[in-house]
Amino acid sequence: MSAVAAPSSVSTAPTARGVWRSGRGVLVVALLVLVTALAPVLLSSPGTAGRPLDPADPSLSGGKALAELLTRRGVSVERVESVAAMLAAARPDSQLLIGDTVAMTEDEAREIAASGRDRLIVGNAAHLGVLAPGVLADDDARSRSREPRCSLREAAGAGSAFIGGLSFTAPAGATGCYPADGRPTLVRYSPDGATVTVTGGGAFMTNLRLAEDGNAALALNLAGARPRLIWLAAPEKPGPGAAGPSGTSLGDLIPDAVPWAILQLAVAVVVVALWRGRRLGPVVAERLPVVVRASETVEGRGRLYRARRARDRAAQALRAAAIDRLAPRLGLPPTAAAEEVVAAAAVRTGREAAEVRSALYGPVPADDAALVALAAQLDTLERQVRDS
Amino acid sequence: MALTGRAGLLAALGTLVVLVAPDPAMAVLGVALLLAALVLFDLLFAGGVRDLRLHRDGERLVRLGESVTVGLVVENPGRRRVRGVVRDAWPPSAGAAPRRLRLDVPAGQRRRLVTTLTPTRRGDREAVSVTVRSLGPLGLAARQGSHLVPWSVRVLPPFLSRKHLPAKLARLRELDGRHPALVRGQGTEFDSLREYVVGDDVRSIDWRASARRSDVVVRTWRPERDRRVLIVLDTGRTSAGRVGVAPHPGEPSGWPRLDWSMDAALLLAALASRAGDRVDFLAHDRTVRAWLSGASRNDLLSSLVNAMAPIEAELVEADGPGMVAAVLARAKRRCLVVLLTDLNAAAMEEGLLPVLPRLSSRHTVLVAAVADPRVAAMASGRGTAELVYDAAAAERLRGERRRITARLRGQGVEVVDAPPEGLAPALADAYLALKAAGRL
């Protein structure tokens, strides 16, 4: 066969048109998936994330409804995002509202306590022991509709409210309302001149619950006690981690170029993946022959004998094989009767006929050890016949 | 297209540039654009793959266990040099090496690449495709494409038993009377009369001829010639079982019965054709897989290995009556039918045993089977209960084989049951014995 006569090659490299034809279906599907994934994100407003007890948040967990109601009632609501701003805005006719979503240091809590302003503390706020000295958070209480059961004007006037979260141990001289298992979830007292109100949870103040029970009345009574309300809310954009003693966080210490460098590394990883992932030619499939050992059926039968302890069949097979080999050596036809074989073997080996009979035609071995012994006996008998 | 490690390295080095650049965002964009531009440049100036012309030369036949080279000529009619790697893809069992070849063809020239095939299995191996990856001048990106360059290599049975052939031929010459030793030809066909020499068997003296002449004359005999031998290979499910140790690495669980049978068949065919007999070959399971008839003495072996090479064991029960009918339809005159199958009790009792008398009444039948040395090893297991149970199972199988053998012999069928390596010489001996006895 000369090289010239060999059939010439046919290129199967894809053309640009072929790539477009085969790839456009995939492209359309990928685009559809992308659009479906991005559409809800793009269509929804950014505020739906929910910032609990934020006067600017219109979502179900926010507090915008309460802030609106307070404004209509003539209470000026001022939203602040830091303790420093709150203390700067506080005047003698102001009440501070501190929720449990706000992070503050112990020093800041002390400053608030030292300012002597009225304050409404909602939920398990940070440094509760500093903000409301003497009030001890006691136990978790389920948020549900509860009766006031106290003489506090604001509570008694509002009636039942959806409250819970924490129950407290109130200090001496304090008024406790809305008890859960005998412990109040709302405590009002006046340490060193300021009126301090602590509620176990802020659920009754949220946009979701405000219209139920006496929630709105209770919230307005508590939050609208003073003409000005300084409402401390969590910052809309959370800061980059906790700041260290020098006022700089880990994020501040990382150079601006690092995130971009990480992006560049990601690009490099993609390029390397494309390099390693491209196969040089197709995967070659081959019709392989079946690989099965011919002895598998025998091995399987042996395992079955073993699993079922089939000593009867095993002994029968061993004895039949031994007799088949012995008969020609003893000069007997394969069809010889048992007694003939036994007599001939006994004569040839000089052993007792009963002994030979029990080996060749004896009972089924009682246990595995007897079977092993039987195999050894048959071997000995065969060897004696062969050597005699 | 394909990217290279250099492109990845360049992208990784871009990280350093981004770290020190005054405007990292612009640096990321700049590095990406630069990389894209360089890759595009490389793709544009890489040698074309589609226009390459490839053709093959080299060997078409190889014996299993040996190596063969196949050349691949790459002709570059384009205007640019094609530099890169080539993968000449073959099925795994073709044992092609190396996996990838370096290629550097200047424009308008051609280069020859060589792939070495060391097949691990019998049969036809077709080349799959040739993939060329042509690098650009910068080595950042490459064009890649495949070509179909058809070629096939037929892997023949290895005929391992040919080492037994000289001894068997010597034995044949003894039968023939042509052996240097002063022995009478043991054949049964009268050949000629010659003068008595000391050492001749006195029983072969022809007294009538001696009386006519004043000298003592002996008759010489020679074996029959121009008899027919039909080798029938059973390719049904029992021939797929693996037995013994494969003669080459790559098949840890042994070699199929089929391959051992082929080996024995090849020795028998070689011997029979030297003995002056005509050899035909039939492979059958449910249909005829191969049929070789009337091959001349000189090209019998090559025709036979060619016919055997593509035969695979089929996972179907062999059709005994169909096989006998196929043999009867093809063997008009009396011949020796050598049936290479397995003495599997279930398969034999339902398939061949009931119909063999139809065959043995017209022809001499010889059944040859590969015994499993693993079964023999299991049968001698002693000491623990597990080994003894295995030994009992092995003895049971051997008992069944003995029973089948006895029944076959009772029908006048010769039986050869030998371990894999011993089957070919045992079958050759059985043939020689039949020939000496004049039973062909």
Side-chain angles (χ1 to χ4, degrees):
Chain A
M1 184 70 60
S2 72
V4 181
S8 59
S9 61
V10 181
S11 173
T12 56
T15 57
R17 183 186 295 242
V19 169
W20 164 243
R21 273 199 188 150
S22 60
R24 62 188 169 186
V26 177
L27 205 66
V28 166
V29 171
L31 272 178
L32 272 178
V33 168
L34 202 67
V35 166
T36 328
L38 287 183
V41 178
L42 294 177
L43 291 179
S44 64
S45 60
T48 46
R51 300 187 300 277
L53 279 191
D54 189 322
D57 182 9
S59 76
L60 291 179
S61 59
K64 188 162 186 178
L66 178 59
E68 290 284 329
L69 285 180
L70 286 168
T71 312
R72 269 189 227 164
R73 287 277 186 110
V75 178
S76 110
V77 177
E78 194 170 334
R79 182 178 181 279
V80 291
E81 290 190 351
S82 71
V83 174
M86 181 170 73
L87 291 175
R91 292 207 298 267
D93 62 343
S94 304
Q95 180 175 219
L96 313 178
L97 193 157
I98 302 157
D100 55 1
T101 58
V102 185
M104 65 175 75
T105 63
E106 197 173 344
D107 290 341
E108 286 173 328
R110 268 202 199 95
E111 281 177 48
I112 295 171
S115 69
R117 307 290 175 216
D118 290 356
R119 45 196 185 270
L120 171 60
I121 299 155
V122 180
N124 189 12
H127 310 295
L128 184 65
V130 180
L131 292 172
V135 176
L136 291 178
D138 198 74
D139 209 352
D140 286 340
R142 200 165 60 83
S143 288
R144 48 166 287 216
S145 184
R146 297 181 192 281
E147 293 298 322
R149 299 180 203 280
C150 69
S151 57
L152 188 69
R153 188 175 49 78
E154 285 89 340
S160 65
F162 190 88
I163 199 165
L166 274 181
S167 59
F168 302 101
T169 304
T175 313
C177 300
Y178 299 102
D181 296 332
R183 297 185 182 281
T185 58
L186 187 148
V187 175
R188 156 77 58 91
Y189 71 127
S190 305
D192 41 80
T195 305
V196 176
T197 315
V198 185
T199 70
F204 66 97
M205 298 165 80
T206 58
N207 298 340
L208 175 66
R209 301 281 178 193
L210 205 61
E212 298 172 5
D213 281 354
N215 289 352
L218 180 64
L220 285 174
N221 287 347
L222 292 178
R226 289 307 189 100
R228 290 187 73 224
L229 179 68
I230 317 290
W231 192 322
L232 179 62
E236 265 185 64
K237 282 181 186 164
S246 60
T248 53
S249 66
L250 185 63
D252 298 338
L253 292 172
I254 294 175
D256 292 345
V258 169
W260 293 104
I262 291 172
L263 177 67
Q264 181 59 38
L265 264 184
V267 171
V269 166
V270 169
V271 172
V272 169
L274 287 175
W275 163 45
R276 299 307 301 172
R278 184 79 165 109
R279 209 172 40 225
L280 190 58
V283 172
V284 180
E286 184 178 11
R287 187 171 166 266
L288 289 173
V290 60
V291 176
V292 54
R293 290 232 302 261
S295 58
E296 262 185 17
T297 48
V298 181
E299 282 165 14
R301 189 187 289 275
R303 302 246 165 79
L304 275 180
Y305 281 176
R306 201 186 303 173
R308 306 309 311 164
R309 300 277 163 227
R311 283 183 291 275
D312 48 348
R313 287 169 185 274
Q316 193 192 353
L318 289 172
R319 281 169 169 155
I323 293 165
D324 275 358
R325 282 190 293 265
L326 282 177
R329 287 188 181 278
L330 295 170
L332 296 170
T335 52
E339 278 312 311
E340 285 179 70
V341 175
V342 170
V347 167
R348 180 76 73 87
T349 59
R351 288 168 65 177
E352 290 288 323
E355 203 183 330
V356 175
R357 188 182 298 112
S358 86
L360 290 179
Y361 299 98
V364 173
D367 53 13
D368 282 357
L371 181 67
V372 174
L374 172 69
Q377 272 177 26
L378 291 171
D379 279 358
T380 313
L381 187 64
E382 273 186 60
R383 195 170 53 247
Q384 284 171 341
V385 168
R386 196 168 58 233
D387 297 346
S388 59
Chain B
M1 76 164 258
L3 295 176
T4 66
R6 278 190 208 182
L9 188 67
L10 205 64
L13 287 177
T15 310
L16 297 179
V17 176
V18 171
L19 275 178
V20 298
D23 187 345
M26 288 310 288
V28 169
L29 193 66
V31 168
L33 284 177
L34 180 70
L35 197 62
L38 290 177
V39 164
L40 203 64
F41 171 82
D42 245 12
L43 285 179
L44 281 177
F45 288 92
V49 170
R50 194 192 315 279
D51 300 329
L52 288 179
R53 286 170 46 190
L54 297 96
H55 40 85
R56 294 183 190 272
D57 54 44
E59 304 287 332
R60 289 277 195 182
L61 293 174
V62 61
R63 207 173 250 168
L64 181 61
E66 293 173 3
S67 292
V68 76
T69 56
V70 172
L72 176 70
V73 177
V74 182
E75 193 180 333
N76 179 10
R79 282 176 291 113
R80 293 202 189 88
R81 183 188 201 90
V82 173
R83 189 172 57 87
V85 287
V86 172
R87 175 177 167 228
D88 189 3
W90 289 80
S93 71
R99 279 182 59 78
R100 43 175 68 192
L101 301 149
R102 295 231 149 267
L103 178 70
D104 192 353
V105 197
Q109 295 194 24
R110 59 173 69 180
R111 291 283 182 273
R112 185 166 182 270
L113 306 172
V114 174
T115 304
T116 306
L117 304 183
T118 314
T120 57
R121 214 150 53 73
R122 199 168 37 74
D124 288 335
R125 297 288 163 269
E126 304 272 348
V128 180
S129 66
V130 176
T131 306
V132 183
R133 181 177 284 182
S134 163
L135 288 172
L138 300 174
L140 286 173
R143 292 193 199 180
Q144 181 172 324
S146 293
H147 288 256
L148 291 180
V149 197
W151 192 261
S152 80
V153 170
R154 174 160 284 191
V155 186
L156 305 173
F159 193 9
L160 299 167
S161 56
R162 64 180 179 276
K163 65 187 175 206
H164 297 294
L165 192 57
K168 301 302 168 198
L169 285 176
R171 193 66 198 96
L172 184 70
R173 278 194 295 273
E174 277 175 31
L175 294 182
D176 222 359
R178 278 185 282 142
H179 196 266
L182 272 177
V183 283
R184 177 180 71 144
Q186 285 172 350
T188 51
E189 220 166 71
F190 175 74
D191 188 18
S192 60
L193 293 170
R194 65 171 169 78
E195 285 183 11
Y196 174 84
V197 294
V198 177
D200 276 347
D201 190 346
V202 291
R203 284 175 297 176
S204 58
I205 295 173
D206 187 338
W207 295 109
R208 193 175 303 200
S210 301
R212 278 199 297 271
R213 299 169 59 170
S214 57
D215 208 353
V216 182
V217 173
V218 291
R219 282 183 189 151
T220 60
W221 309 86
R222 61 164 197 175
E224 321 128 303
R225 294 179 67 86
D226 297 321
R227 301 298 150 131
R228 286 162 181 274
V229 177
L230 174 54
I231 301 173
V232 181
L233 193 61
D234 174 6
T235 57
R237 66 171 179 89
T238 53
S239 67
R242 298 195 171 225
V243 167
V245 180
H248 47 267
E251 302 215 28
S253 51
W255 223 22
R257 274 208 171 91
L258 184 68
D259 287 64
W260 291 115
S261 299
M262 283 180 181
D263 206 43
L266 285 172
L267 181 66
L268 176 62
L271 190 60
S273 71
R274 294 289 185 89
D277 291 337
R278 289 190 42 192
V279 179
D280 297 334
F281 171 74
L282 174 72
H284 192 282
D285 42 73
R286 296 204 78 82
T287 60
V288 174
R289 297 283 166 199
W291 167 240
L292 176 72
S293 170
S296 74
R297 236 182 93 175
N298 290 331
D299 59 3
L300 171 72
L301 271 188
S302 61
S303 315
L304 202 55
V305 288
N306 251 313
M308 282 176 175
I311 297 177
E312 293 286 344
E314 301 290 327
L315 295 186
V316 292
E317 189 72 52
D319 172 19
M323 192 182 289
V324 168
V327 170
L328 288 176
R330 284 168 173 77
K332 300 294 182 201
R333 287 168 50 194
R334 181 176 175 80
C335 60
L336 169 67
V337 177
V338 178
L339 197 52
L340 289 153
T341 179
D342 184 31
L343 295 172
N344 180 299
M348 283 297 255
E349 272 168 2
E350 296 195 356
L352 269 177
L353 269 181
V355 290
L356 263 185
R358 282 172 56 201
L359 203 59
S360 56
S361 63
R362 289 189 53 186
H363 304 287
T364 310
V365 180
L366 196 163
V367 172
V370 188
D372 193 343
R374 169 117 184 90
V375 172
M378 281 170 74
S380 60
R382 294 288 186 272
T384 67
E386 282 73 23
L387 289 175
V388 172
Y389 279 124
D390 279 354
E395 288 291 13
R396 192 189 147 108
L397 180 86
R398 298 211 296 183
E400 281 174 355
R401 281 177 88 98
R402 275 196 298 272
R403 197 161 45 78
I404 292 287
T405 306
R407 283 183 64 181
L408 285 172
R409 291 207 167 118
Q411 291 182 6
V413 172
E414 294 290 321
V415 180
V416 174
D417 186 7
E421 282 86 359
L423 181 67
L427 183 59
D429 285 343
Y431 164 78
L432 290 171
L434 283 174
K435 200 163 182 66
R439 287 184 56 198
L440 290 191

